[in-house]
Amino acid sequence: VDEARSFDHSVALARASGARLISLHANAGDSAVAQMRDAATLLERWGLPRDSVTFEKRVHRCCDDPVETILDGLNRIQPDLVVAATHQRNSIARFFAGSRAEAIAHNVTAPPLLFSSDARSFVRDDTGTLALKRVLVPLGDDVESAAAVRTATWLANLVGSESIELVLLHVGGRGEPPTADLDGYTWRLENVVDGDVLGSILAHAETA
């Protein structure tokens, strides 16, 4: 985690869930630890106890390639969630194209939460309160849809908000959401019969 927005979200999520937070830096000298963001300083800014999140900074070395180094470090940590920053700024299409965060996201078993520098925040800057109200969940086949819904409801539980609305989006014909996995959650299904999958997701993401 090296960008302010992704770090803010990782600290807020760790506090909400009681998780242990580890910042991982690849292939750097020990002096890099002092330059890494500190959770206690951020918590103090939010008016919260400095020790309300268990936080650790780690510098990991193993490989010449920083992506391989991060993946090796994550394999040792076995996290429940990976939060990373990307440097693609113009759209979700570029956000997922050619970034190190994408390479990491495709090679970890834990859910990845990726932030571009201009992504909207769901952490309040002054209090650190999580304010996640709506999640867009693109659906695929039965297996993909079930996995997407499980991850979205897991995130809702992690945030601890009972008022989150899940917007289930299916492009191409009519989709059938795994309703058994949605018991107790507020959700609605939107079917786009015709259209480009990526374009439809981007359009709905603007309003979600």
Side-chain angles (χ1 to χ4, degrees), residues 36-191:
M36 295 168 70
R37 299 181 189 277
D38 186 67
T41 302
L42 179 59
L43 290 163
E44 188 175 60
R45 194 187 84 197
W46 287 340
L48 300 170
R50 292 174 59 89
D51 60 354
S52 55
V53 170
T54 302
F55 177 60
E56 178 185 348
K57 300 177 184 180
R58 287 190 190 180
V59 174
H60 186 67
R61 308 177 187 88
C62 77
C63 319
D64 293 333
D65 182 68
V67 171
E68 291 182 7
T69 302
I70 289 293
L71 289 172
D72 184 74
L74 292 174
N75 185 56
R76 295 168 186 264
I77 295 169
Q78 292 293 302
D80 296 307
L81 177 69
V82 176
V83 182
T86 76
H87 297 281
Q88 306 295 332
R89 298 173 182 271
N90 293 340
S91 69
I92 293 180
R94 289 192 61 199
F95 173 56
F96 282 109
S99 72
R100 289 176 175 175
E102 180 197 15
I104 293 169
H106 281 294
N107 288 280
V108 292
T109 55
L113 183 60
L114 307 181
F115 288 92
S116 64
S117 58
D118 56 356
R120 293 197 301 270
S121 173
F122 59 88
V123 173
R124 299 192 186 282
D125 289 336
D126 54 343
T127 64
T129 303
L130 292 163
L132 187 61
K133 300 299 182 185
R134 186 175 297 109
V135 178
L136 179 66
V137 187
L139 302 179
D141 61 28
D142 291 345
V143 174
E144 293 167 338
S145 297
V149 168
R150 282 196 305 271
T151 304
T153 55
W154 176 82
L155 179 61
N157 293 334
L158 185 67
V159 172
S161 175
E162 298 178 354
S163 60
I164 290 178
E165 178 189 30
L166 304 179
V167 181
L168 311 178
L169 174 66
H170 187 270
V171 182
R174 295 194 61 82
E176 295 295 334
T179 54
D181 296 331
L182 291 163
D183 289 344
Y185 296 94
T186 300
W187 61 276
R188 59 186 167 89
L189 174 64
E190 295 193 7
N191 281 297

